[in-house]
Amino acid sequence: MWNPRTGLLTIGGLVACAAAVAGCAATSDPSTASAAHRSTDLPVGNDPVELAAAEFTTTIDNPYWPMEPGTRWTYREVEGGDELKVVVVVTSATREIANGITARVVRDTVFRGDEIIEDTFDWYAQDAAGAIWYLGEETAEFENGKVTSRAGSFEAGVDGALPGIAVPGDPEAGMQYRQEYLAGEAEDNGEVFSTHAMADTPLGHYTDVLLTWDTISLEPDVAELKFYAPGVGPVLALGVAGGPGAREELIAIDTVPAGTGTQPLGQPG
């Protein structure tokens, strides 16, 4: 709950808050965001954007998700009794996106035991205002070592796909933005709830945390809370609507040698 003395929001209160607002927030249409939200200049829905490649960098130092090459985050995800390991590595590689922006390649690999079940290259770049933009992904799902699906892959500037915001440059409560957009395929949204939340994971207690409310226009009953700790990055995600209540928590953060994570999908190295 909100603590008026410290000005911090705790997880227990957030779950209650989320339950109270899930009916409206999870079904909200970002294309109808108010003028106040639009004044942040963050795109919502299928808003077109004109981005100048010269204003973007692969040096990503947004305090809520600093992406220093070689950084590795390891998460434990539990959903419906199934436990997975998620490993995210900021690689030394970059990629020029179809819209002309050069992006940092971040590797996101999901394991069940020792088996890879999903593997993804995500593409991010930071603008001059400090916002981290999400520019697309190449993803693959695996079963018994074989690719079973590449659904979800998209690239900004290809077949109508639009870039979105991963983390705003100067987040304020109430900001709304799209995270990704490919009509009928990827329509994810974010909203800033607070920059004064708290979160606990096996690695410790975090304060002054950025808390976002994430929804999917194509699955209006689904909602998730995500927590970003200053100087660390994403530390916790809680499914609060539309599912069995998944919890993904940071269990380790370390550094890896240059070149780690640049191998082909299915071979994270």
Side-chain angles (χ1 to χ4, degrees):
M1 65 186 299
W2 182 262
N3 184 325
R5 181 177 61 82
T6 63
L8 297 173
L9 200 59
T10 62
I11 292 176
L14 287 168
V15 174
C17 173
V21 303
C24 60
T27 57
S28 62
D29 180 357
S31 66
T32 61
S34 69
H37 290 140
R38 287 182 179 274
S39 69
T40 63
D41 294 326
L42 301 181
V44 295
N46 62 352
D47 283 351
V49 291
E50 294 185 10
L51 304 179
E55 296 180 0
F56 283 79
T57 178
T58 58
T59 300
I60 300 174
D61 56 7
N62 182 301
Y64 293 107
W65 198 358
M67 296 186 190
E68 178 70 24
T71 304
R72 176 173 63 186
W73 298 269
T74 302
Y75 300 88
R76 176 171 58 231
E77 180 179 338
V78 179
E79 180 177 357
D82 192 17
E83 183 169 323
L84 305 174
K85 181 175 72 171
V86 181
V87 179
V88 178
V89 176
V90 183
T91 77
S92 55
T94 61
R95 175 188 172 103
E96 184 173 338
I97 306 303
N99 62 8
I101 295 172
T102 299
R104 175 65 57 191
V105 179
V106 176
R107 184 70 167 269
D108 186 324
T109 310
V110 183
F111 297 86
R112 179 181 289 114
D114 295 328
E115 180 185 3
I116 294 174
I117 62 172
E118 187 173 349
D119 208 4
T120 304
F121 291 126
D122 292 311
W123 308 316
Y124 298 96
Q126 183 171 295
D127 69 16
I132 303 174
W133 287 75
Y134 183 45
L135 301 169
E137 65 179 65
E138 178 186 356
T139 187
E141 297 178 14
F142 292 83
E143 186 173 343
N144 298 322
K146 304 292 184 181
V147 176
T148 59
S149 174
R150 294 188 181 274
S153 299
F154 77 100
E155 182 174 348
V158 176
D159 296 329
L162 300 172
I165 299 292
V167 181
D170 188 16
E172 297 179 359
M175 282 183 172
Q176 292 181 351
Y177 48 93
R178 70 158 177 259
Q179 296 171 329
E180 59 182 5
Y181 186 87
L182 177 59
E185 297 289 337
E187 301 182 23
D188 294 2
N189 320 296
E191 179 175 351
V192 175
F193 258 14
S194 174
T195 56
H196 300 290
M198 293 192 294
D200 287 291
T201 82
L203 281 188
H205 176 75
Y206 302 97
T207 60
D208 293 323
V209 170
L210 168 63
L211 170 64
T212 67
W213 173 264
D214 293 359
T215 58
I216 305 172
S217 296
L218 300 175
E219 300 179 61
D221 294 330
V222 174
E224 183 178 53
L225 294 168
K226 287 186 180 177
F227 300 75
Y228 300 80
V232 180
V235 295
L236 181 65
L238 300 173
V240 293
R247 177 185 177 97
E248 184 177 316
E249 59 186 4
L250 183 67
I251 59 174
I253 182 169
D254 58 5
T255 57
V256 294
T260 300
T262 59
Q263 297 80 3
L265 294 179
Q267 305 172 31

